[in-house]
Amino acid sequence: MGEAQFNSETTEEKAADAASQQHNHLDALIIRIGQFGRFQILNYIMLSLPIVCNAFYSISYVFTASPVVHRCNISQCDTPNSSFIEPWLNFTIPQHNGAWDQCNQFEATPANEALCEEHHFNSSQPVSCEAGYKLRGDEETIASEFGIFCSDKWKLSMVGTVNNIGQFVGIPLGGYLADRYGRKAMLVVTGVLSALAGLARSHAPEYYSFLFFEFLDMAVGSTLFPTAFLLAIELVGPKHRVVAAMVISLTYGLAEAAMGYLASLILDWRVLLRVLYTPALLHLLFICYIPESVRWLLSQSREMEAVQILRKVARVNKRALPETQLSEMVCMNRQLLAESETSGGHYTVHQIFSALALRIAQCCFLWFSNTFIALGLSLNATELKGNKFDNFSMAGLMQLPGILVATLLMHRIGRRWALSLSLSTCSLLLIVMALLDNDYSTLSWYLYFLAKMCSTGSFMTLYFFTSEIFPTSCRNSMLSFCSMVGRFGSMLAPQTPLLIYYYKYAPHLLFAAFGILSSVLSFFFPETSNKVLPTTLEEARALDRSQQPKVLAATKTAA
């Protein structure tokens, strides 16, 4: 056992030396002290908190602002003890497609308004509900509490729109601040502020205050996922970045599935919000227990702080860390920053867009397409047969195989091929759905979930890809900027059901068209598999020319 350990350490030292000779000093150090050791695992356990919180907050409106099943309260027939379904509904409320009309009733004969008999109602004259509404079940949402029914239902869909507007504002702002002031600081501040906004929303006395806190919550909390994502992958070795991204994405999918289960148990929207948001106050503990990103510290010329963190990583992972390599890393980083075009450790917007304009445009379009397709498919899940809570949880669980398959593809065939294959397969499944739905409805149901799985895989690959193609000092900003543009896709997706009036499968074919086009465009990205994360714009530009040094041989040897 001791000899095997010695051989392993010797092999990793050789791998680290090989990487060091290629001027990849930080990656060489990470290989030496452990690419995914005890320290990184503990880090990931703590970072699961902002991942889970973001999964809850970004889509909790599905349950808090959900419409509730209702019908007219028939004053002539209903009593405090009457059920939602009564025999006299046959002559008091019209039916549409086998269901009771939720917003209309038959007009009662004026002279007999207090009598609940069939001949006292005019079945040829439906009128709007005159005495309020009768609700089915015990579910409490803002619809039931604030009286949002029928002609006011637009207020419920407006909650989702405001949620996305909050993300549109918060994601780029949070990305900029994270690049400016650090990943750790943003997680602490935004985590606590989003918790306070969510708890305040749970006490909203009326609709518009609820809407305000919905916006505020996402404006401060939408950056939790991208910031935690980058903080997590920036301290693992090149070989394990794919596995790191997989762990984070699986956590997100499981959180969505768990929220569907929680919502089925907690039917009061106020209590549900308090259960979802209170744990976010634990972000305060990050001040003491979460380290800042070493790559970010180096990009800000804060080498001594980075050195202290690397020493701690080596100590927790029980690995040796030669001081000579630390000194070399510090000298090389200072030289690299001195030769770069940054001012005070930061690039200007003009510098970034001048150097990477085409890459940014491609990235933004793919983000738009992926959010458009992913949310569009999620919205269709609510129309499937069965319990809405179970369907929502199933949609969350279907993300897990999509993430695993995407991880395998990224590892085996690279980022570009994985992204293209996921998008093209999703598009093909949607086209086949449109062709077979009329004759094979059950098969169509399975194809829907397979398309959802592929959509999740492409989204996971794109998220990971975006984190690798931009330099450290603007990585969070660019990831957030592309994600912000993607919000346009999520804003447009709820409108696609309107296309059904023109052609039943128009939404499916539209999603497929965007998927095919994005599949082709993905090949214009540089391949980043087994390459070090770029620190400067020069290194990021070199990705297109395949000039950036690789650590493939080193990481393979270390394995």
Side-chain angles (χ1 to χ4, degrees):
M1 188 69 180
E3 183 180 357
Q5 183 178 359
F6 173 81
N7 289 336
S8 175
E9 290 178 354
T10 302
T11 301
E12 293 204 19
E13 287 176 2
K14 291 179 179 179
D17 291 338
S20 180
Q21 291 172 2
Q22 297 172 344
H23 305 290
N24 300 317
H25 290 80
L26 178 58
D27 286 277
L29 286 174
I30 291 176
I31 292 171
R32 180 181 291 276
I33 64 180
Q35 298 192 62
F36 201 77
R38 184 182 302 174
F39 183 91
Q40 286 92 336
I41 292 173
L42 294 173
N43 208 40
Y44 268 58
I45 292 173
M46 289 185 286
L47 287 174
S48 65
L49 176 63
I51 301 298
V52 170
C53 288
N54 187 261
F56 287 166
Y57 305 164
S58 63
I59 203 167
S60 62
Y61 65 86
V62 170
F63 301 111
T64 60
S66 172
V68 293
V69 180
H70 59 277
R71 63 166 174 82
C72 293
N73 181 62
I74 309 300
S75 57
Q76 297 88 342
C77 305
D78 268 310
T79 66
N81 297 321
S82 59
S83 301
F84 184 78
I85 301 296
E86 293 284 357
W88 39 259
L89 295 181
N90 293 311
F91 58 81
T92 58
I93 294 180
Q95 289 192 26
H96 293 294
N97 299 322
W100 304 113
D101 192 314
Q102 296 191 84
C103 301
N104 295 289
Q105 67 178 79
F106 291 132
E107 184 181 39
T109 306
N112 300 282
E113 289 184 346
L115 299 176
C116 184
E117 297 178 5
E118 182 173 0
H119 59 278
H120 293 151
F121 290 85
N122 185 0
S123 60
S124 62
Q125 185 61 45
V127 295
S128 58
C129 298
E130 299 175 341
Y133 301 92
K134 184 80 172 180
L135 308 182
R136 186 187 71 182
D138 299 323
E139 185 180 4
E140 286 285 339
T141 72
I142 65 169
S144 57
E145 184 161 341
F146 299 151
I148 304 175
F149 304 107
C150 300
S151 61
D152 289 333
K153 276 190 174 181
W154 62 269
K155 292 183 177 180
L156 299 179
S157 59
M158 181 58 68
V159 175
T161 300
V162 169
N163 181 286
N164 277 284
I165 293 174
Q167 295 185 53
F168 182 83
V169 173
I171 288 174
L173 179 61
Y176 170 79
L177 294 175
D179 280 337
R180 195 78 179 177
Y181 302 106
R183 317 323 193 198
K184 174 180 175 178
M186 282 305 298
L187 284 181
V188 173
V189 173
T190 58
V192 173
L193 289 180
S194 63
L196 296 177
L199 292 173
R201 190 160 86 254
S202 74
H203 292 87
E206 42 77 39
Y207 172 76
Y208 289 102
S209 59
F210 176 92
L211 209 61
F212 170 76
F213 285 116
E214 182 79 39
F215 169 82
L216 185 62
D217 172 22
M218 295 315 299
V220 298
S222 57
T223 190
L224 282 173
F225 183 91
T227 304
F229 184 91
L230 290 180
L231 184 57
I233 70 168
E234 285 183 338
L235 197 56
V236 298
K239 181 181 177 181
H240 294 282
R241 290 204 300 261
V242 174
V243 177
M246 179 194 72
V247 172
I248 293 173
S249 301
L250 287 174
T251 302
Y252 192 94
L254 287 171
E256 281 198 1
M259 186 173 69
Y261 178 72
L262 282 174
S264 69
L265 297 177
I266 306 172
L267 299 178
D268 187 319
W269 69 274
R270 293 185 185 273
V271 177
L272 177 63
L273 284 178
R274 291 162 194 167
V275 169
L276 295 179
Y277 279 83
T278 300
L281 294 173
L282 293 174
H283 281 95
L284 285 170
L285 297 177
F286 283 14
I287 297 174
C288 301
Y289 296 107
I290 285 287
E292 183 55 87
S293 166
V294 171
R295 296 181 190 274
W296 180 82
L297 290 171
L298 292 176
S299 73
Q300 306 302 303
S301 301
R302 293 163 62 177
E303 291 90 358
M304 292 303 100
E305 294 176 55
V307 166
Q308 292 301 319
I309 293 175
L310 289 172
R311 286 172 178 160
K312 182 178 181 181
V313 175
R315 185 170 63 255
V316 174
N317 288 348
K318 298 182 179 179
R319 299 293 183 89
L321 181 58
E323 290 296 320
T324 55
Q325 284 200 344
L326 285 175
S327 300
E328 289 175 3
M329 181 198 71
V330 171
C331 293
M332 182 58 65
N333 186 72
R334 289 173 179 172
Q335 179 182 345
L336 189 65
L337 292 179
E339 295 173 353
S340 72
E341 302 171 6
T342 58
S343 175
H346 301 281
Y347 292 105
T348 65
V349 174
H350 176 72
Q351 287 176 320
I352 297 170
F353 278 81
S354 296
L356 303 171
L358 180 59
R359 187 181 301 177
I360 294 170
Q362 292 172 227
C363 190
C364 287
F365 182 82
L366 263 70
W367 270 88
F368 173 88
S369 297
N370 274 268
T371 55
F372 182 56
I373 296 170
L375 184 57
L377 292 177
S378 294
L379 292 175
N380 287 335
T382 61
E383 300 178 4
L384 297 176
K385 294 181 180 179
N387 183 281
K388 71 175 183 179
F389 301 106
D390 294 338
N391 288 338
F392 183 88
S393 293
M394 179 61 69
L397 290 174
M398 284 305 297
Q399 297 182 49
L400 307 187
I403 292 165
L404 293 173
V405 171
T407 302
L408 178 63
L409 290 175
M410 281 195 291
H411 182 70
R412 296 294 183 184
I413 63 178
R415 318 300 195 239
R416 292 188 300 181
W417 275 101
L419 181 59
S420 179
L421 186 60
S422 298
L423 285 166
S424 58
T425 303
C426 178
S427 300
L428 180 61
L429 289 170
L430 291 173
I431 294 172
V432 174
M433 277 182 62
L435 295 175
L436 300 181
D437 188 47
N438 287 333
D439 299 323
Y440 304 96
S441 58
T442 302
L443 178 60
S444 177
W445 186 86
Y446 285 107
L447 291 177
Y448 160 79
F449 279 110
L450 287 175
K452 177 63 178 174
M453 182 187 74
C454 292
S455 172
T456 300
S458 68
F459 215 148
M460 186 260 189
T461 305
L462 178 62
Y463 215 113
F464 190 80
F465 214 165
T466 307
S467 70
E468 291 185 317
I469 59 177
F470 296 110
T472 301
S473 61
C474 64
R475 183 173 296 130
N476 208 326
S477 297
M478 296 315 303
L479 174 60
S480 299
F481 176 77
C482 294
S483 180
M484 178 196 71
V485 175
R487 293 305 105 195
F488 285 110
S490 62
M491 293 177 192
L492 183 61
Q495 309 304 320
T496 55
L498 298 176
L499 298 174
I500 295 175
Y501 291 104
Y502 301 97
Y503 178 57
K504 183 178 180 181
Y505 303 106
H508 301 78
L509 297 180
L510 184 60
F511 297 148
F514 273 95
I516 292 172
L517 180 57
S518 298
S519 174
V520 174
L521 286 177
S522 64
F523 283 108
F524 290 89
F525 278 124
E527 181 55 65
T528 58
S529 180
N530 291 306
K531 293 185 178 180
V532 298
L533 295 176
T535 300
T536 66
L537 276 178
E538 291 78 9
E539 290 181 354
R541 282 198 297 258
L543 289 173
D544 286 320
R545 302 188 296 272
S546 299
Q547 293 177 357
Q548 194 201 42
K550 296 184 179 182
V551 292
L552 178 59
T555 54
K556 281 186 176 179
T557 308

